[in-house]
Amino acid sequence: MARTKDPAVRALLLERAAHMLRTRAPVTLRTLVAGTGVSTMAVYTYFGGMDGLWRALRQEGFSRLTARLAAVDTTADAVRDLAALGAAYLVNAVEGPDLYRIMFDAGFDLEDPGAADETLHTLVRTVERATADGRFATGTDPLELATQSWAVGHGLASLVTSGPLPPAALGHGVPMLTALFTAAGDEPDRCRDSVAQGWAGLRAAAP
Amino acid sequence: MARTKDPAVRALLLERAAHMLRTRAPVTLRTLVAGTGVSTMAVYTYFGGMDGLWRALRQEGFSRLTARLAAVDTTADAVRDLAALGAAYLVNAVEGPDLYRIMFDAGFDLEDPGAADETLHTLVRTVERATADGRFATGTDPLELATQSWAVGHGLASLVTSGPLPPAALGHGVPMLTALFTAAGDEPDRCRDSVAQGWAGLRAAAP
DNA sequence: GCACTATACATAACACTGCTATGTATAGTG
DNA sequence: CACTATACATAGCAGTGTTATGTATAGTGC
């Protein structure tokens, strides 16, 4: 019926935008398309405008985060895995601070609102596994504990990437998660070990 | 030697900017001065440009936060006070979400970098008091626990004001702080009581 | 008291932003 | 193969923050 869109162009613009964000170059309509050969109109045909580009970029951020969390391997120790997920979350944030910042900007409107839920769901499932293994009290609400773990991760990631806290502050994740999991019923010493192990698998989370 | 600046103009612009932020009106150079009688140049003489205005606005955000925390009354129960400070922090964030968001934007460059430290120091002093009262273990690092409490507060505040979590999620602050303080050595039941009491003084924190 | 000067402030133009109206070439379809 | 809907380029628009220029005025040395 007519010319069809080239998905490669969309991917190129998205990749270039992410790169410019990483190198702290100002991402504007004209600077984005400069050098790519495509015209400014491409942004409108593929994203419907700059707002659409930012939305797609937020989506991209969640996709990368999801991939990061999926790369964390599952072991017999669910509490360890939970800590490993937390560490992976922080690594993702500090490696792409600008992309991470954008993910939580502008009223949080995404192309696919389920993307954030999926991230949270990974945590929920791991909490359920830990509870099934008898690590947490039987009455534990998985969504509640997962949300609290997320808040801890986001709090640290945000304060570090924003500037007020130095990168070393990410280490607070260990005692904080340990406190959270212990309060949920895990045996203190064992919990400390599990969290420490999961935290050590911090490098393994990088693809 | 020459004409002197009128501090009232500066305060007026700052107040108006904060109001426009609160009412979600776009804050731009021209919309800011529109109707005030002053010209666009005023922004440059008083703030050196829009960047300076944003910096001053961030400063204003920290000032209001500091005032909020100072309004929290000190009781004999330091752990209760610590929870009350956390609640006040959250109230401040949800009552002025846009101002709060700005506080942690743009690389965190403030006019007075000590403003954030002062906020944190309020928490540090309260932790020290709780430790002196025998609530926390003697080896407790006040700055460490204060920072962790801040991370909890900021994590919740940020996720709620950004959208992913509903306002009701602020209630997670109770179990989270309880877990943190219990891990620091406080007796679980007593801690729960203290935190609940501090959290109840949530309305009292409003000036 | 007064000329002098440095400063606050207004006006207008500048380069830039995202966006849209218009025109053109082309890929898919009957 | 003609036709049409669509991708895309070009150019102009209103808006942004910033800066150059001019003017009036508040403070200071005499």
Side-chain angles (χ1 to χ4, degrees):
Chain A
M1 201 176 185
R3 280 179 76 177
T4 150
K5 290 185 193 174
D6 181 4
V9 174
R10 184 191 150 95
L12 178 135
L13 288 176
L14 223 46
E15 186 63 39
R16 182 172 160 83
H19 177 71
M20 292 177 74
L21 221 54
R22 203 178 323 125
T23 58
R24 275 169 179 66
V27 179
T28 131
L29 179 64
R30 288 173 176 79
T31 60
L32 178 64
V33 300
T36 63
V38 305
S39 145
T40 59
M41 276 305 294
V43 175
Y44 286 82
T45 56
Y46 287 101
F47 303 101
M50 285 304 278
D51 272 14
L53 177 82
W54 293 118
R55 279 217 317 251
L57 222 39
R58 275 194 282 279
Q59 197 72 35
E60 174 72 13
F62 275 99
S63 295
R64 294 187 185 189
L65 173 58
T66 301
R68 257 279 164 53
L69 297 187
V72 174
D73 42 31
T74 306
T75 70
D77 188 343
V79 174
R80 186 218 78 102
D81 295 352
L82 211 44
L85 287 173
Y89 185 93
L90 294 182
V91 168
N92 176 73
V94 296
E95 282 195 357
D98 301 277
L99 191 55
Y100 183 78
R101 182 107 47 102
I102 288 187
M103 285 166 63
F104 299 95
D105 267 5
F108 201 66
D109 55 331
L110 297 164
E111 292 183 334
D112 171 21
D117 294 348
E118 190 181 350
T119 301
L120 187 55
H121 198 64
T122 306
L123 294 178
V124 172
R125 272 185 285 110
T126 311
V127 171
E128 285 172 342
R129 196 153 54 86
T131 308
D133 292 351
R135 298 292 295 265
F136 298 151
T138 46
T140 308
D141 181 347
L143 179 57
E144 202 163 313
L145 188 53
T147 304
Q148 292 172 13
S149 302
W150 185 17
V152 166
H154 177 70
L156 287 175
S158 179
L159 287 179
V160 166
T161 57
S162 300
L165 292 183
L170 294 178
H172 286 307
V174 175
M176 292 179 79
L177 290 183
T178 303
L180 224 50
F181 301 156
T182 301
D186 199 18
E187 198 271 315
D189 288 339
R190 192 179 177 190
C191 185
R192 222 184 317 276
D193 276 4
S194 293
V195 172
Q197 280 177 34
W199 210 259
L202 184 140
R203 285 284 153 235
Chain B
M1 201 175 186
R3 280 179 77 176
T4 148
K5 291 185 193 174
D6 182 3
V9 175
R10 185 192 149 95
L12 179 135
L13 288 176
L14 222 45
E15 187 62 39
R16 181 172 161 83
H19 176 73
M20 292 177 72
L21 221 55
R22 202 178 324 125
T23 57
R24 277 171 178 65
V27 180
T28 132
L29 178 64
R30 288 174 176 79
T31 60
L32 178 64
V33 300
T36 62
V38 305
S39 146
T40 59
M41 278 305 293
V43 176
Y44 285 82
T45 56
Y46 287 101
F47 304 101
M50 285 304 277
D51 271 16
L53 177 82
W54 293 118
R55 279 216 317 250
L57 222 39
R58 275 193 282 278
Q59 197 72 35
E60 175 71 13
F62 275 100
S63 296
R64 295 187 183 189
L65 174 58
T66 302
R68 258 279 165 52
L69 296 187
V72 173
D73 43 31
T74 308
T75 72
D77 187 344
V79 174
R80 186 219 78 103
D81 296 352
L82 212 44
L85 288 173
Y89 186 92
L90 293 183
V91 168
N92 176 73
V94 295
E95 280 195 358
D98 301 277
L99 191 55
Y100 182 78
R101 183 106 47 102
I102 288 186
M103 286 165 63
F104 299 97
D105 266 6
F108 200 68
D109 55 332
L110 297 165
E111 292 182 335
D112 171 21
D117 295 348
E118 190 181 350
T119 300
L120 187 55
H121 198 65
T122 306
L123 294 177
V124 172
R125 272 185 285 109
T126 310
V127 170
E128 284 171 342
R129 196 154 54 85
T131 308
D133 292 351
R135 298 292 294 266
F136 298 151
T138 46
T140 308
D141 182 345
L143 180 58
E144 202 163 314
L145 187 53
T147 304
Q148 292 171 13
S149 302
W150 185 18
V152 165
H154 177 71
L156 287 175
S158 178
L159 287 179
V160 167
T161 57
S162 300
L165 291 183
L170 294 178
H172 286 307
V174 175
M176 291 178 80
L177 289 184
T178 304
L180 223 50
F181 301 156
T182 301
D186 200 17
E187 197 271 315
D189 288 338
R190 191 178 177 191
C191 185
R192 223 184 316 276
D193 275 4
S194 294
V195 172
Q197 280 177 33
W199 210 259
L202 182 140
R203 286 284 152 234

